[in-house]
Amino acid sequence: PDGGIVMAGESINFGRKKVQRSILIKVDSFGCLIPGCHKTDNIEPKRASKCQIYPNPSTSTLKVTLPNVFDAWNYKIMSASGAVIQNGVFSSEQNQISIQNLANGIYQITLFNTKNNHYENHSFIVAR
């Protein structure tokens, strides 16, 4: 009546002996063993982006602003099909990438801080 479900057991075959155990677990409609468990969770809230990519859409140069200039940031640009087109390392707060050789379309740039394992994915558009 409360919308919950009951889950049950297993069956194990040990050659000639067959063992069957039943385990019953009653959960509420949220899947909680303890009522009210759905009100809290251990999912980390989404981290805000630390890096800025602009202008978007862009024609010839993509500017990248990074929050921590003391750490190296690796980057790679990928096409819509996932092919890596360009990669490198940034070591300053303000950076520019030439995208003149890229055709019009949507691309993905991945930025990775090697010191604290922070990474971000951003999409950008090349439109001329």
Side-chain angles (χ1 to χ4, degrees):
D2 67 355
I5 61 170
V6 175
M7 294 179 268
E10 66 180 296
S11 176
I12 303 172
N13 190 354
F14 292 109
R16 294 185 180 175
K17 288 187 176 183
K18 190 172 184 180
V19 178
Q20 191 169 8
R21 289 189 284 188
S22 294
I23 303 167
L24 298 176
I25 301 173
K26 171 76 169 80
V27 295
D28 67 11
S29 59
F30 295 102
C32 296
L33 289 171
I34 302 168
C37 76
H38 65 283
K39 295 179 182 174
T40 61
D41 60 35
N42 60 353
I43 298 172
E44 182 180 328
K46 184 178 178 184
R47 290 193 265 183
S49 293
K50 295 181 178 184
C51 307
Q52 296 177 358
I53 310 297
Y54 57 95
N56 193 8
S58 186
T59 57
S60 61
T61 303
L62 190 65
K63 296 179 182 181
V64 180
T65 302
L66 303 171
N68 192 343
V69 296
F70 300 110
D71 301 334
W73 286 79
N74 294 327
Y75 77 89
K76 66 180 172 182
I77 296 176
M78 293 167 288
S79 67
S81 66
V84 177
I85 297 171
Q86 191 174 345
N87 58 25
V89 178
F90 294 134
S91 57
S92 62
E93 184 179 357
Q94 299 291 328
N95 304 278
Q96 290 188 9
I97 303 171
S98 175
I99 55 170
Q100 290 179 340
N101 61 336
L102 300 181
N104 287 350
I106 299 173
Y107 296 87
Q108 184 85 19
I109 183 168
T110 300
L111 301 159
F112 179 70
N113 183 306
T114 56
K115 186 173 182 180
N116 65 12
N117 290 330
H118 176 82
Y119 70 92
E120 292 185 21
N121 291 315
H122 295 265
S123 296
F124 67 94
I125 298 171
V126 175
R128 294 185 186 87

